[in-house]
Amino acid sequence: MKSPPFAYLAPETLDDVVRGLAEAGEDAKVIAGGQSLLPVLALRLGRPSVLVDVARVPGLDTIDVVGDEVVLGARVTHATLERHPLVAAHAPLLAEVAPLIGHAAIRTRGTLGGSLAHADPAAELPAVAMLTDATIDVRGPDGTRSVPARDFFVGYLTTVLAPDEVVEAVRLPARGARVGDAFAEVSRRHGDFALVGAGARVGLDEDGRVAELRLAFLGAGSTPVLDVEAGAAAVGRAPDAAVLGEVGRAAAARLDPHDDLHASASYRRRVAGALAARVLATAARRAGAAS
Amino acid sequence: MSAEPRLEATVSLRVNGEDRQVHVEARRSLADALRDALGLTGTHLGCEHGVCGSCTVLLDGGPVRSCLVLAVQAEGHDVVTVEGLGTPDDLHPVQHGCLEAHAFQCGFCTPGMLISAVALLAENDDPDDAEIREALGGNLCRCTGYESIVAGVRRGAELLRLDGEG
């Protein structure tokens, strides 16, 4: 189907993007790659009056390392995450996850900022942003504010973004020494949205015991889920299979996934537990744990 | 583009090596502009919401679904459609490979398959079958002719490498 009519604006600066959104009122939408938004319009599930395109704003497609942070512009594409040397060196989980997003033709256009702003709970990058403790810089009429990823997602396809705000950049701590991370998901076919997925980050102390442990899930609730209790249960313990399996199963039991025609909630919970144990083991091994 | 939101616009873009201009409604996709305004009907529209891959074209060299790009977003960009790959007398090596392998049934999905294959081979001139399947994963064939399509792309890669050596 064709999209319903809308007006189009392509400002040259971020301030003009914000002004365009403010002038258009609540039914304006930002468009970047459009890989989530345009299907919504084609299926007529949305009917915005104005699309404000961020394509002409300079500087939104850059990747830099500033101090101990990797700073990614909102318009960085999934294809760039797959290939960029700074991502591979300092935020390798993004490079590992990017190929799981849609298909090649989607990744050419789809953007990091767009995926976060769209906030699909089954999407990979929102969960990874929470797992890696990313900060999302948001531009609005009063300037830029920084929102921790764990506070950014408030519900199904819903974020803390106001109608006149736009994602400007995503900052995440460069992965440190003795830290490993991993991600896995189960989908019916490769390229489909995952039924459920899990990401893990494990940091080890000098004695090889768990210093930090984080778990995040996708497809397991109305938002991506960061499990804050998993770390407390594991810190100070040896990262052996028994401990990591127990931590993963306990985290999965705390999930409240949904039923749909693709999978039941109990199936999703079981798969989440299996995936969590697997990614924790991989992350621990990558952090340097003896396997 | 003006500083006011516009319901329609004149878009300048480069298509198959030629500078073109199209006047379109903002809601029209790049696929609509290619087919309706420029008469390039080799780009096929199946689902029109980004699932089937029949409308795949190269945008600045990368594969994109032209139903998921607005024509106004293509302003100033470079587009290659299936018409830009080869001519009936001088087929692109991937087109030759697919012809040799009978890599088509009804042919509706073929333009998107060809473009996706060309994009793959630009990055990797000797893909294995798994890499070919991965690259074509976003292109659906309702005749389920996938085996011969994979064989066609494999043969196209051989022909492209031979071209490179010649």
Side-chain angles (χ1 to χ4, degrees):
Chain A
M1 206 169 5
K2 306 296 181 192
S3 296
F6 51 78
Y8 174 82
L9 184 63
E12 312 262 341
T13 70
L14 215 47
D15 286 335
D16 285 342
V17 169
V18 171
R19 199 167 299 124
L21 290 171
E23 285 171 5
E26 295 226 343
D27 57 352
K29 292 292 279 185
V30 174
I31 184 167
Q35 301 302 284
S36 298
L37 179 60
L38 293 180
V40 166
L41 300 189
L43 295 168
R44 301 209 169 198
L45 299 171
R47 195 175 278 267
S49 59
V50 181
L51 295 192
V52 182
D53 192 347
V54 292
R56 289 181 195 287
V57 177
L60 290 185
D61 56 356
T62 55
I63 298 178
D64 297 297
V65 175
V66 181
D68 56 2
E69 278 188 331
V70 185
V71 183
L72 303 123
R75 217 174 54 221
V76 166
T77 64
H78 310 324
T80 301
L81 295 179
E82 277 182 89
R83 295 173 174 86
H84 201 285
L86 286 178
V87 174
H90 300 289
L93 190 61
L94 286 174
E96 183 173 329
V97 164
L100 299 174
I101 304 170
H103 300 287
I106 299 291
R107 300 196 289 272
T108 305
R109 295 283 297 167
T111 67
L112 171 60
S115 177
L116 299 182
H118 187 62
D120 192 315
E124 289 83 0
L125 293 175
V128 169
M130 291 179 86
L131 178 73
T132 57
D133 205 17
T135 300
I136 300 164
D137 289 337
V138 170
R139 181 75 71 98
D142 302 323
T144 299
R145 65 181 177 120
S146 296
V147 184
R150 64 180 173 275
D151 298 332
F152 187 75
F153 304 100
V154 296
Y156 182 73
L157 304 184
T158 311
T159 69
V160 297
L161 282 172
D164 56 357
E165 287 185 317
V166 57
V167 175
E168 180 177 353
V170 180
R171 293 181 283 123
L172 45 98
R175 204 183 60 179
R178 291 197 299 273
V179 175
D181 40 33
F183 183 89
E185 66 182 29
V186 168
S187 56
R188 295 178 70 226
R189 293 170 307 186
H190 178 76
D192 284 0
F193 273 106
L195 295 175
V196 67
R201 168 159 287 192
V202 175
L204 300 178
D205 65 19
E206 288 180 1
D207 299 327
R209 293 180 182 278
V210 174
E212 177 198 14
L213 183 146
R214 297 167 70 89
L215 267 177
F217 296 92
L218 57 83
S222 60
T223 63
V225 176
L226 179 69
D227 188 296
V228 292
E229 293 175 45
V235 167
R237 300 170 73 179
D240 59 37
V243 167
L244 298 179
E246 172 201 321
V247 167
R249 278 190 301 277
R254 287 189 286 272
L255 293 172
D256 183 22
H258 59 289
D259 276 305
D260 64 19
L261 80 168
H262 300 300
S264 66
S266 66
Y267 175 79
R268 281 193 164 86
R269 203 177 287 114
R270 278 183 76 101
V271 173
L275 290 177
R278 194 182 305 167
V279 292
L280 283 169
T282 305
R285 193 177 69 245
R286 288 173 176 175
S291 53
Chain B
M1 212 58 58
S2 80
E4 291 299 316
R6 296 274 306 274
L7 283 166
E8 48 190 71
T10 299
V11 176
S12 302
L13 65 172
R14 197 164 174 82
V15 182
N16 299 332
E18 276 183 52
D19 290 321
R20 307 294 297 264
Q21 280 203 333
V22 289
H23 190 79
V24 289
E25 283 181 282
R27 69 180 177 131
R28 288 290 170 172
S29 70
L30 175 59
D32 293 333
L34 293 169
R35 289 177 55 83
D36 300 343
L38 298 177
L40 295 167
T41 53
T43 298
H44 289 170
L45 274 171
C47 70
E48 290 197 84
H49 61 275
V51 173
C52 76
S54 293
C55 68
T56 307
V57 301
L58 299 178
L59 186 67
D60 298 334
V64 302
R65 290 178 164 158
S66 59
C67 77
L68 293 189
V69 180
L70 297 173
V72 287
Q73 291 181 294
E75 165 76 32
H77 291 276
D78 191 89
V79 180
V80 175
T81 70
V82 70
E83 289 92 345
L85 295 186
T87 65
D89 297 328
D90 183 20
L91 293 176
H92 186 282
V94 175
Q95 290 171 315
H96 249 304
C98 287
L99 188 64
E100 287 183 25
H102 307 288
F104 44 80
Q105 289 190 31
C106 85
F108 189 88
C109 69
T110 305
M113 294 281 183
L114 292 170
I115 294 282
S116 291
V118 167
L120 165 69
L121 298 181
E123 288 204 348
N124 175 1
D125 72 355
D126 191 11
D128 61 28
D129 281 7
E131 289 166 329
I132 293 172
R133 287 174 189 279
E134 164 65 24
L136 298 181
N139 293 74
L140 301 184
C141 161
R142 297 216 292 200
C143 307
T144 68
Y146 296 116
E147 290 299 331
S148 16
I149 293 168
V150 172
V153 174
R154 200 166 53 224
R155 177 64 181 145
E158 282 172 16
L159 293 170
L160 202 58
R161 291 198 300 276
L162 288 172
D163 264 13
E165 288 162 14

mmCIF file of all heavy atoms in Angstrom, chain A residues 118-158:
data_model
loop_
_atom_site.group_PDB
_atom_site.id
_atom_site.type_symbol
_atom_site.label_atom_id
_atom_site.label_comp_id
_atom_site.label_asym_id
_atom_site.label_seq_id
_atom_site.Cartn_x
_atom_site.Cartn_y
_atom_site.Cartn_z
ATOM 1 N N HIS A 118 12.742 4.124 17.913
ATOM 2 C CA HIS A 118 11.573 3.302 17.575
ATOM 3 C C HIS A 118 11.206 2.383 18.745
ATOM 4 O O HIS A 118 10.036 2.074 18.969
ATOM 5 C CB HIS A 118 11.862 2.493 16.311
ATOM 6 C CG HIS A 118 10.686 1.737 15.787
ATOM 7 N ND1 HIS A 118 9.539 2.357 15.356
ATOM 8 C CD2 HIS A 118 10.475 0.407 15.627
ATOM 9 C CE1 HIS A 118 8.667 1.442 14.960
ATOM 10 N NE2 HIS A 118 9.211 0.253 15.114
ATOM 11 N N ALA A 119 12.222 1.932 19.485
ATOM 12 C CA ALA A 119 12.020 1.210 20.754
ATOM 13 C C ALA A 119 11.196 -0.058 20.618
ATOM 14 O O ALA A 119 10.350 -0.353 21.462
ATOM 15 C CB ALA A 119 11.387 2.146 21.800
ATOM 16 N N ASP A 120 11.478 -0.821 19.574
ATOM 17 C CA ASP A 120 10.827 -2.122 19.477
ATOM 18 C C ASP A 120 11.470 -3.057 20.507
ATOM 19 O O ASP A 120 12.690 -3.231 20.504
ATOM 20 C CB ASP A 120 11.017 -2.687 18.065
ATOM 21 C CG ASP A 120 10.131 -3.897 17.816
ATOM 22 O OD1 ASP A 120 10.066 -4.780 18.709
ATOM 23 O OD2 ASP A 120 9.493 -3.963 16.757
ATOM 24 N N PRO A 121 10.679 -3.654 21.398
ATOM 25 C CA PRO A 121 11.274 -4.496 22.441
ATOM 26 C C PRO A 121 11.924 -5.768 21.891
ATOM 27 O O PRO A 121 12.655 -6.440 22.614
ATOM 28 C CB PRO A 121 10.090 -4.834 23.357
ATOM 29 C CG PRO A 121 8.883 -4.627 22.518
ATOM 30 C CD PRO A 121 9.219 -3.549 21.527
ATOM 31 N N ALA A 122 11.666 -6.088 20.616
ATOM 32 C CA ALA A 122 12.299 -7.252 20.005
ATOM 33 C C ALA A 122 13.542 -6.867 19.198
ATOM 34 O O ALA A 122 14.174 -7.731 18.597
ATOM 35 C CB ALA A 122 11.303 -7.976 19.093
ATOM 36 N N ALA A 123 13.901 -5.583 19.201
ATOM 37 C CA ALA A 123 15.068 -5.141 18.424
ATOM 38 C C ALA A 123 16.345 -5.330 19.240
ATOM 39 O O ALA A 123 16.315 -5.320 20.481
ATOM 40 C CB ALA A 123 14.907 -3.679 18.025
ATOM 41 N N GLU A 124 17.450 -5.499 18.532
ATOM 42 C CA GLU A 124 18.717 -5.813 19.178
ATOM 43 C C GLU A 124 19.362 -4.597 19.852
ATOM 44 O O GLU A 124 19.857 -4.680 20.981
ATOM 45 C CB GLU A 124 19.711 -6.387 18.151
ATOM 46 C CG GLU A 124 19.384 -7.789 17.661
ATOM 47 C CD GLU A 124 18.350 -7.805 16.540
ATOM 48 O OE1 GLU A 124 17.874 -6.716 16.126
ATOM 49 O OE2 GLU A 124 17.998 -8.905 16.082
ATOM 50 N N LEU A 125 19.411 -3.452 19.137
ATOM 51 C CA LEU A 125 20.230 -2.340 19.635
ATOM 52 C C LEU A 125 19.716 -1.734 20.940
ATOM 53 O O LEU A 125 20.534 -1.346 21.782
ATOM 54 C CB LEU A 125 20.393 -1.281 18.535
ATOM 55 C CG LEU A 125 21.233 -1.771 17.348
ATOM 56 C CD1 LEU A 125 21.249 -0.733 16.232
ATOM 57 C CD2 LEU A 125 22.651 -2.124 17.779
ATOM 58 N N PRO A 126 18.394 -1.638 21.167
ATOM 59 C CA PRO A 126 17.963 -1.137 22.477
ATOM 60 C C PRO A 126 18.475 -2.013 23.635
ATOM 61 O O PRO A 126 18.946 -1.490 24.656
ATOM 62 C CB PRO A 126 16.427 -1.180 22.377
ATOM 63 C CG PRO A 126 16.157 -0.972 20.916
ATOM 64 C CD PRO A 126 17.261 -1.748 20.230
ATOM 65 N N ALA A 127 18.422 -3.325 23.451
ATOM 66 C CA ALA A 127 18.916 -4.220 24.517
ATOM 67 C C ALA A 127 20.421 -4.064 24.697
ATOM 68 O O ALA A 127 20.926 -4.043 25.833
ATOM 69 C CB ALA A 127 18.564 -5.672 24.192
ATOM 70 N N VAL A 128 21.135 -3.936 23.571
ATOM 71 C CA VAL A 128 22.589 -3.775 23.666
ATOM 72 C C VAL A 128 22.947 -2.445 24.323
ATOM 73 O O VAL A 128 23.896 -2.353 25.110
ATOM 74 C CB VAL A 128 23.229 -3.912 22.272
ATOM 75 C CG1 VAL A 128 24.681 -3.479 22.281
ATOM 76 C CG2 VAL A 128 23.123 -5.364 21.795
ATOM 77 N N ALA A 129 22.176 -1.393 24.034
ATOM 78 C CA ALA A 129 22.431 -0.088 24.662
ATOM 79 C C ALA A 129 22.277 -0.195 26.178
ATOM 80 O O ALA A 129 23.074 0.364 26.943
ATOM 81 C CB ALA A 129 21.476 0.966 24.098
ATOM 82 N N MET A 130 21.267 -0.948 26.626
ATOM 83 C CA MET A 130 21.095 -1.117 28.072
ATOM 84 C C MET A 130 22.217 -1.954 28.654
ATOM 85 O O MET A 130 22.772 -1.641 29.713
ATOM 86 C CB MET A 130 19.737 -1.760 28.360
ATOM 87 C CG MET A 130 18.575 -0.818 28.059
ATOM 88 S SD MET A 130 16.981 -1.593 28.366
ATOM 89 C CE MET A 130 16.767 -1.261 30.092
ATOM 90 N N LEU A 131 22.561 -3.035 27.950
ATOM 91 C CA LEU A 131 23.598 -3.944 28.455
ATOM 92 C C LEU A 131 24.929 -3.223 28.629
ATOM 93 O O LEU A 131 25.640 -3.444 29.614
ATOM 94 C CB LEU A 131 23.766 -5.120 27.483
ATOM 95 C CG LEU A 131 24.863 -6.104 27.876
ATOM 96 C CD1 LEU A 131 24.411 -6.927 29.072
ATOM 97 C CD2 LEU A 131 25.232 -7.009 26.711
ATOM 98 N N THR A 132 25.269 -2.356 27.647
ATOM 99 C CA THR A 132 26.585 -1.721 27.664
ATOM 100 C C THR A 132 26.578 -0.397 28.418
ATOM 101 O O THR A 132 27.560 0.338 28.382
ATOM 102 C CB THR A 132 27.084 -1.491 26.221
ATOM 103 O OG1 THR A 132 26.115 -0.707 25.517
ATOM 104 C CG2 THR A 132 27.277 -2.810 25.486
ATOM 105 N N ASP A 133 25.484 -0.096 29.095
ATOM 106 C CA ASP A 133 25.382 1.111 29.909
ATOM 107 C C ASP A 133 25.580 2.373 29.064
ATOM 108 O O ASP A 133 26.282 3.306 29.470
ATOM 109 C CB ASP A 133 26.401 1.063 31.060
ATOM 110 C CG ASP A 133 25.963 1.920 32.237
ATOM 111 O OD1 ASP A 133 24.770 2.266 32.305
ATOM 112 O OD2 ASP A 133 26.810 2.250 33.071
ATOM 113 N N ALA A 134 24.962 2.382 27.884
ATOM 114 C CA ALA A 134 25.090 3.524 26.980
ATOM 115 C C ALA A 134 24.308 4.718 27.515
ATOM 116 O O ALA A 134 23.388 4.580 28.328
ATOM 117 C CB ALA A 134 24.563 3.149 25.599
ATOM 118 N N THR A 135 24.710 5.890 27.047
ATOM 119 C CA THR A 135 23.993 7.131 27.330
ATOM 120 C C THR A 135 23.480 7.682 26.005
ATOM 121 O O THR A 135 24.208 7.671 25.006
ATOM 122 C CB THR A 135 24.935 8.159 27.983
ATOM 123 O OG1 THR A 135 25.432 7.595 29.197
ATOM 124 C CG2 THR A 135 24.202 9.457 28.285
ATOM 125 N N ILE A 136 22.246 8.127 25.984
ATOM 126 C CA ILE A 136 21.639 8.633 24.755
ATOM 127 C C ILE A 136 21.504 10.145 24.881
ATOM 128 O O ILE A 136 20.852 10.645 25.802
ATOM 129 C CB ILE A 136 20.273 7.951 24.515
ATOM 130 C CG1 ILE A 136 20.494 6.427 24.383
ATOM 131 C CG2 ILE A 136 19.594 8.521 23.269
ATOM 132 C CD1 ILE A 136 19.243 5.603 24.533
ATOM 133 N N ASP A 137 22.186 10.857 23.977
ATOM 134 C CA ASP A 137 22.112 12.321 23.980
ATOM 135 C C ASP A 137 20.947 12.744 23.097
ATOM 136 O O ASP A 137 20.849 12.347 21.938
ATOM 137 C CB ASP A 137 23.412 12.924 23.454
ATOM 138 C CG ASP A 137 24.567 12.745 24.434
ATOM 139 O OD1 ASP A 137 24.295 12.568 25.638
ATOM 140 O OD2 ASP A 137 25.728 12.771 23.990
ATOM 141 N N VAL A 138 20.085 13.569 23.660
ATOM 142 C CA VAL A 138 18.830 13.943 23.017
ATOM 143 C C VAL A 138 18.792 15.457 22.866
ATOM 144 O O VAL A 138 19.027 16.181 23.837
ATOM 145 C CB VAL A 138 17.648 13.467 23.902
ATOM 146 C CG1 VAL A 138 16.342 14.045 23.404
ATOM 147 C CG2 VAL A 138 17.600 11.953 23.968
ATOM 148 N N ARG A 139 18.528 15.944 21.663
ATOM 149 C CA ARG A 139 18.444 17.394 21.440
ATOM 150 C C ARG A 139 16.989 17.824 21.450
ATOM 151 O O ARG A 139 16.138 17.200 20.805
ATOM 152 C CB ARG A 139 19.090 17.756 20.099
ATOM 153 C CG ARG A 139 19.084 19.253 19.778
ATOM 154 C CD ARG A 139 20.104 20.045 20.586
ATOM 155 N NE ARG A 139 21.453 19.732 20.118
ATOM 156 C CZ ARG A 139 22.137 20.490 19.256
ATOM 157 N NH1 ARG A 139 21.627 21.607 18.802
ATOM 158 N NH2 ARG A 139 23.334 20.132 18.859
ATOM 159 N N GLY A 140 16.737 18.888 22.175
ATOM 160 C CA GLY A 140 15.391 19.459 22.228
ATOM 161 C C GLY A 140 15.483 20.969 22.209
ATOM 162 O O GLY A 140 16.566 21.532 21.997
ATOM 163 N N PRO A 141 14.364 21.644 22.424
ATOM 164 C CA PRO A 141 14.349 23.111 22.348
ATOM 165 C C PRO A 141 15.279 23.763 23.368
ATOM 166 O O PRO A 141 15.767 24.870 23.148
ATOM 167 C CB PRO A 141 12.893 23.485 22.651
ATOM 168 C CG PRO A 141 12.120 22.226 22.661
ATOM 169 C CD PRO A 141 13.043 21.064 22.698
ATOM 170 N N ASP A 142 15.545 23.087 24.487
ATOM 171 C CA ASP A 142 16.395 23.688 25.515
ATOM 172 C C ASP A 142 17.832 23.183 25.439
ATOM 173 O O ASP A 142 18.580 23.295 26.409
ATOM 174 C CB ASP A 142 15.824 23.396 26.912
ATOM 175 C CG ASP A 142 14.403 23.921 27.056
ATOM 176 O OD1 ASP A 142 14.133 25.007 26.502
ATOM 177 O OD2 ASP A 142 13.571 23.242 27.680
ATOM 178 N N GLY A 143 18.205 22.576 24.332
ATOM 179 C CA GLY A 143 19.570 22.066 24.201
ATOM 180 C C GLY A 143 19.607 20.545 24.304
ATOM 181 O O GLY A 143 18.600 19.885 24.047
ATOM 182 N N THR A 144 20.788 20.045 24.693
ATOM 183 C CA THR A 144 20.977 18.593 24.726
ATOM 184 C C THR A 144 20.869 18.081 26.156
ATOM 185 O O THR A 144 21.397 18.685 27.087
ATOM 186 C CB THR A 144 22.374 18.247 24.164
ATOM 187 O OG1 THR A 144 22.437 18.688 22.814
ATOM 188 C CG2 THR A 144 22.618 16.745 24.207
ATOM 189 N N ARG A 145 20.133 16.975 26.333
ATOM 190 C CA ARG A 145 20.123 16.298 27.626
ATOM 191 C C ARG A 145 20.577 14.861 27.403
ATOM 192 O O ARG A 145 20.424 14.307 26.316
ATOM 193 C CB ARG A 145 18.746 16.338 28.290
ATOM 194 C CG ARG A 145 17.662 15.589 27.550
ATOM 195 C CD ARG A 145 16.321 15.706 28.292
ATOM 196 N NE ARG A 145 15.260 15.035 27.530
ATOM 197 C CZ ARG A 145 14.532 14.008 28.011
ATOM 198 N NH1 ARG A 145 14.757 13.555 29.233
ATOM 199 N NH2 ARG A 145 13.594 13.468 27.273
ATOM 200 N N SER A 146 21.154 14.279 28.448
ATOM 201 C CA SER A 146 21.706 12.932 28.358
ATOM 202 C C SER A 146 20.851 11.984 29.173
ATOM 203 O O SER A 146 20.585 12.237 30.344
ATOM 204 C CB SER A 146 23.141 12.917 28.892
ATOM 205 O OG SER A 146 23.952 13.726 28.066
ATOM 206 N N VAL A 147 20.423 10.906 28.537
ATOM 207 C CA VAL A 147 19.535 9.951 29.199
ATOM 208 C C VAL A 147 20.236 8.586 29.227
ATOM 209 O O VAL A 147 20.597 8.060 28.174
ATOM 210 C CB VAL A 147 18.201 9.812 28.432
ATOM 211 C CG1 VAL A 147 17.252 8.881 29.183
ATOM 212 C CG2 VAL A 147 17.562 11.167 28.181
ATOM 213 N N PRO A 148 20.426 8.001 30.410
ATOM 214 C CA PRO A 148 20.975 6.631 30.443
ATOM 215 C C PRO A 148 20.011 5.687 29.720
ATOM 216 O O PRO A 148 18.786 5.819 29.849
ATOM 217 C CB PRO A 148 21.026 6.301 31.940
ATOM 218 C CG PRO A 148 20.942 7.617 32.643
ATOM 219 C CD PRO A 148 20.159 8.525 31.752
ATOM 220 N N ALA A 149 20.582 4.733 28.970
ATOM 221 C CA ALA A 149 19.725 3.825 28.192
ATOM 222 C C ALA A 149 18.705 3.122 29.075
ATOM 223 O O ALA A 149 17.573 2.882 28.659
ATOM 224 C CB ALA A 149 20.597 2.815 27.448
ATOM 225 N N ARG A 150 19.092 2.816 30.334
ATOM 226 C CA ARG A 150 18.152 2.078 31.193
ATOM 227 C C ARG A 150 16.920 2.911 31.555
ATOM 228 O O ARG A 150 15.914 2.362 32.012
ATOM 229 C CB ARG A 150 18.858 1.566 32.454
ATOM 230 C CG ARG A 150 19.369 2.645 33.351
ATOM 231 C CD ARG A 150 20.079 2.092 34.598
ATOM 232 N NE ARG A 150 20.683 3.179 35.342
ATOM 233 C CZ ARG A 150 21.879 3.680 35.083
ATOM 234 N NH1 ARG A 150 22.622 3.175 34.129
ATOM 235 N NH2 ARG A 150 22.341 4.701 35.779
ATOM 236 N N ASP A 151 17.013 4.250 31.370
ATOM 237 C CA ASP A 151 15.857 5.114 31.651
ATOM 238 C C ASP A 151 15.131 5.556 30.384
ATOM 239 O O ASP A 151 14.157 6.312 30.452
ATOM 240 C CB ASP A 151 16.318 6.390 32.391
ATOM 241 C CG ASP A 151 16.942 6.078 33.732
ATOM 242 O OD1 ASP A 151 16.574 5.042 34.330
ATOM 243 O OD2 ASP A 151 17.805 6.862 34.182
ATOM 244 N N PHE A 152 15.628 5.131 29.214
ATOM 245 C CA PHE A 152 15.151 5.689 27.941
ATOM 246 C C PHE A 152 13.856 5.038 27.468
ATOM 247 O O PHE A 152 13.003 5.681 26.871
ATOM 248 C CB PHE A 152 16.250 5.507 26.888
ATOM 249 C CG PHE A 152 15.976 6.176 25.570
ATOM 250 C CD1 PHE A 152 16.098 7.546 25.432
ATOM 251 C CD2 PHE A 152 15.612 5.426 24.460
ATOM 252 C CE1 PHE A 152 15.858 8.169 24.215
ATOM 253 C CE2 PHE A 152 15.369 6.035 23.235
ATOM 254 C CZ PHE A 152 15.498 7.416 23.122
ATOM 255 N N PHE A 153 13.711 3.720 27.753
ATOM 256 C CA PHE A 153 12.587 2.964 27.186
ATOM 257 C C PHE A 153 11.491 2.848 28.240
ATOM 258 O O PHE A 153 11.742 2.398 29.358
ATOM 259 C CB PHE A 153 13.054 1.572 26.763
ATOM 260 C CG PHE A 153 14.211 1.634 25.802
ATOM 261 C CD1 PHE A 153 15.516 1.431 26.243
ATOM 262 C CD2 PHE A 153 13.998 1.935 24.464
ATOM 263 C CE1 PHE A 153 16.583 1.514 25.364
ATOM 264 C CE2 PHE A 153 15.061 2.022 23.578
ATOM 265 C CZ PHE A 153 16.357 1.806 24.027
ATOM 266 N N VAL A 154 10.290 3.267 27.890
ATOM 267 C CA VAL A 154 9.230 3.269 28.902
ATOM 268 C C VAL A 154 8.087 2.312 28.579
ATOM 269 O O VAL A 154 7.271 2.013 29.448
ATOM 270 C CB VAL A 154 8.670 4.690 29.149
ATOM 271 C CG1 VAL A 154 9.752 5.588 29.715
ATOM 272 C CG2 VAL A 154 8.089 5.287 27.896
ATOM 273 N N GLY A 155 8.006 1.806 27.360
ATOM 274 C CA GLY A 155 6.932 0.878 27.025
ATOM 275 C C GLY A 155 7.079 0.452 25.582
ATOM 276 O O GLY A 155 8.063 0.808 24.912
ATOM 277 N N TYR A 156 6.119 -0.316 25.102
ATOM 278 C CA TYR A 156 6.152 -0.819 23.736
ATOM 279 C C TYR A 156 6.210 0.357 22.748
ATOM 280 O O TYR A 156 5.318 1.221 22.765
ATOM 281 C CB TYR A 156 4.907 -1.680 23.480
ATOM 282 C CG TYR A 156 4.873 -2.279 22.100
ATOM 283 C CD1 TYR A 156 5.722 -3.331 21.774
ATOM 284 C CD2 TYR A 156 4.023 -1.793 21.129
ATOM 285 C CE1 TYR A 156 5.714 -3.877 20.502
ATOM 286 C CE2 TYR A 156 3.998 -2.333 19.859
ATOM 287 C CZ TYR A 156 4.854 -3.378 19.553
ATOM 288 O OH TYR A 156 4.843 -3.911 18.301
ATOM 289 N N LEU A 157 7.263 0.433 21.960
ATOM 290 C CA LEU A 157 7.477 1.506 20.984
ATOM 291 C C LEU A 157 7.414 2.899 21.615
ATOM 292 O O LEU A 157 7.072 3.872 20.955
ATOM 293 C CB LEU A 157 6.467 1.431 19.826
ATOM 294 C CG LEU A 157 6.383 0.125 19.038
ATOM 295 C CD1 LEU A 157 5.414 0.275 17.873
ATOM 296 C CD2 LEU A 157 7.735 -0.334 18.523
ATOM 297 N N THR A 158 7.751 2.983 22.897
ATOM 298 C CA THR A 158 7.622 4.256 23.605
ATOM 299 C C THR A 158 8.902 4.558 24.385
ATOM 300 O O THR A 158 9.424 3.693 25.092
ATOM 301 C CB THR A 158 6.441 4.209 24.594
ATOM 302 O OG1 THR A 158 5.291 3.696 23.909
ATOM 303 C CG2 THR A 158 6.106 5.596 25.122
#
